[in-house]
Amino acid sequence: QVQVIESGGGSVKAGDSLTLSCRGSRRTSSNNGMGWFRNVPGKEREFVAAISWNGGSTYVADSVKDRFTISKTSDRGTMYLQMNSLKPEDTATYVCAVARSAGRPGASTTAYQYWGQGIQVTVST
């Protein structure tokens, strides 16, 4: 069974930076595209960013593209979400997902096959 593990969440103040990381077992994070979503109670799951298997193609949601960057390590095994200038409205559970293919996935959840449990990011004023 594939495991998708996120790390790096926490509580920060507005304006701070935070980096989330994600890795999938059984080489899924090396061979497949990946993405980040975030959940806020009472709202639909929101797409944040996606990246192709080799990191060569990325896509970041308009709502965060000036502050968030998605990347992969050189061995393609770990994905990162660098979040700068965090705002209280960025408070959410951030969920990592592994796509069904190697290409850069889009914003639709149907493009993803494996999901992490999510990690909490809390931004206070």
Side-chain angles (χ1 to χ4, degrees):
Q1 183 166 345
V2 174
Q3 289 184 309
V4 180
I5 306 296
E6 304 103 335
S7 62
S11 297
V12 297
K13 292 192 178 296
D16 285 352
S17 297
L18 201 61
T19 301
L20 305 182
S21 63
C22 176
R23 192 175 183 90
S25 65
R26 300 177 63 183
R27 300 183 62 82
T28 52
S29 53
S30 299
N31 298 335
N32 291 50
M34 300 178 74
W36 287 100
F37 290 77
R38 61 188 184 185
N39 294 334
V40 175
K43 295 185 177 181
E44 288 189 7
R45 176 168 287 184
E46 180 186 6
F47 169 79
V48 177
I51 192 166
S52 61
W53 73 285
N54 63 354
S57 179
T58 62
Y59 171 39
V60 182
D62 288 344
S63 60
V64 299
K65 66 179 181 180
D66 293 333
R67 301 183 292 119
F68 290 12
T69 302
I70 189 170
S71 63
K72 270 192 161 187
T73 51
S74 58
D75 67 357
R76 312 187 304 271
T78 302
M79 174 179 68
Y80 297 103
L81 184 69
Q82 173 69 40
M83 304 184 293
N84 298 325
S85 302
L86 283 161
K87 304 175 181 180
E89 50 263 44
D90 294 318
T91 294
T93 299
Y94 285 73
V95 183
C96 172
V98 177
R100 299 180 185 277
S101 65
R104 188 207 69 199
S108 173
T109 57
T110 60
Y112 300 85
Q113 184 171 7
Y114 303 109
W115 295 83
Q117 293 295 311
I119 192 164
Q120 182 66 32
V121 172
T122 302
V123 185
S124 60
T125 56

